[in-house]
Amino acid sequence: MTTYVWDYLPEYEKEKDDILDAVGKVFASGRLVLGESLRSFEEEFAAYHGGGRCTGVDNGTNALKLALEAMGVGPGDEVVTVSNTAAPTVVAIVSTGATPVFVDVREEDFLIDTDQVESAVTERTKVLLPVHLYGQCADMEPLRRIAGRHGLRILEDCAQAHGARHHGRPAGTLGDAAAYSFYPTKVLGAYGDGGAVLTADEETDRALRQLRYYGMGDAYHVVRTPGHNSRLDEVQAEILRRKLGRLDAYIAARGAVARRYEEQLGDLTGPGRLRLPATNPGNTHVHYVYVVRHPRRDEILEALTAYGIRLNISYPWPVHTMSGFAHLGYAEGSLPVTEKLAREIFSLPMYPSLPTGLQDKVAGALREVLAALDTGTGTERKGG
């Protein structure tokens, strides 16, 4: 058996009746697009975050893109962000015609290095786009001060941070707008693609609702370009409504998995050895993925395959090193911390319904492999 980082089937078995009831409710409603399920989910998702306005869209990438366009970002503008992220963060920026400007991340938490942000701001900068990576928030106070000094707006990438908090405030309420993905692996995941934008600004929300529906104001009358066909499907919206009520339970279950890893592996950590993820002071971590580090990462992953375990790397290639973004002109070595992390990080299985036995298997195999590395006896599996 090969072990993967994520599996939705155990959760589906527990929630099957509710998920199928959600599908049946939509099919029987007589409205399959822009109906009551979407309106209700938007209201409930906003309420979960303490208010504001939510606009459901078809995926997280378009949530970012449409949010940027609603903020007036377009050709000639710059958006300051990180390369240590999933590629869609940058794909969304480029798709507006704007230019992503990268700053490095902090080695201790993988999040945007706020000390580097102000020097990256130019007269063309329009938005700061921090990524709340792996389940915890970036340091937002310095970013808000920088944005205030330069008249910039902040768009939070919350694709990996549903339910996370920063000094008591929910992720998604710390800037001018926030983009979410509901891809199935997410902390709040749909049974297909989905996304949303959260904002407290009425004009931004109005623009988003027009942009997701061809740029139309009234039916058949386009008032804003470019418009898109980017609506959150009624079936996914109804499923997300049901799952939103369980979001805090999902987060608690993820926290329990993280604590168990700490108990199983905490004695193996140290400089030059395994490093486990840490939660910054003031943050509530939701553990979207459980990313660890080791300078001999590739040897470890290869050795684990003998145990029937294949783990993921989030992410093996920094965005600025990808051939598709070569036109941005970032040379190797330009973001040294980001590049170092990409050589060392890997993810252990993390999802709310992760079976304890499977977690024990992974942790036990990892202990054996690390012990072999430490003693220099090789990483071949001993025994059957």
Side-chain angles (χ1 to χ4, degrees), residues 101-118:
V101 176
F102 297 122
V103 297
D104 216 340
V105 295
R106 303 189 301 202
E107 188 164 354
E108 62 271 21
D109 59 15
F110 314 152
L111 300 169
I112 188 169
D113 187 342
T114 55
D115 290 340
Q116 298 187 25
V117 171
E118 194 149 27

Side-chain angles (χ1 to χ4, degrees), residues 305-333:
T305 62
Y307 294 79
I309 296 171
R310 189 181 75 187
L311 300 182
N312 193 39
I313 302 173
S314 300
Y315 301 95
W317 298 284
V319 175
H320 72 283
T321 68
M322 297 180 184
S323 58
F325 298 107
H327 65 284
L328 297 176
Y330 286 85
E332 184 176 351

Side-chain angles (χ1 to χ4, degrees), residues 205-232:
D205 183 69
R206 184 180 302 110
L208 285 162
R209 292 178 182 277
Q210 294 168 348
L211 288 166
R212 76 171 176 185
Y213 190 41
Y214 312 114
M216 290 183 181
D218 299 317
Y220 304 113
H221 186 81
V222 171
V223 297
R224 184 186 297 268
T225 57
H228 309 275
N229 180 6
S230 186
R231 301 163 294 199
L232 179 60

Side-chain angles (χ1 to χ4, degrees), residues 226-246:
H228 309 275
N229 180 6
S230 186
R231 301 163 294 199
L232 179 60
D233 180 81
E234 279 288 288
V235 170
Q236 300 302 340
E238 184 61 33
I239 291 173
L240 287 165
R241 283 190 69 200
R242 311 293 181 95
K243 296 188 71 176
L244 180 61
R246 298 187 283 269

Side-chain angles (χ1 to χ4, degrees), residues 110-171:
F110 314 152
L111 300 169
I112 188 169
D113 187 342
T114 55
D115 290 340
Q116 298 187 25
V117 171
E118 194 149 27
S119 62
V121 173
T122 73
E123 61 182 12
R124 296 197 296 167
T125 305
K126 204 152 195 175
V127 169
L128 306 181
L129 203 169
V131 178
H132 299 322
L133 195 69
Y134 301 150
Q136 73 169 326
C137 294
D139 191 1
M140 294 299 294
E141 289 78 6
L143 294 179
R144 286 199 293 266
R145 290 194 294 269
I146 294 168
R149 283 195 292 270
H150 296 276
L152 307 175
R153 303 187 76 184
I154 297 176
L155 172 60
E156 300 172 68
D157 185 338
C158 293
Q160 303 183 13
H162 311 78
R165 288 183 172 266
H166 184 61
H167 298 291
R169 292 181 58 183

Side-chain angles (χ1 to χ4, degrees), residues 1-18:
M1 173 184 175
T2 299
T3 300
Y4 297 93
V5 174
W6 175 81
D7 183 2
Y8 78 92
L9 290 175
E11 179 180 286
Y12 177 64
E13 286 302 313
K14 294 179 183 178
E15 301 180 357
K16 181 191 299 184
D17 290 345
D18 194 36

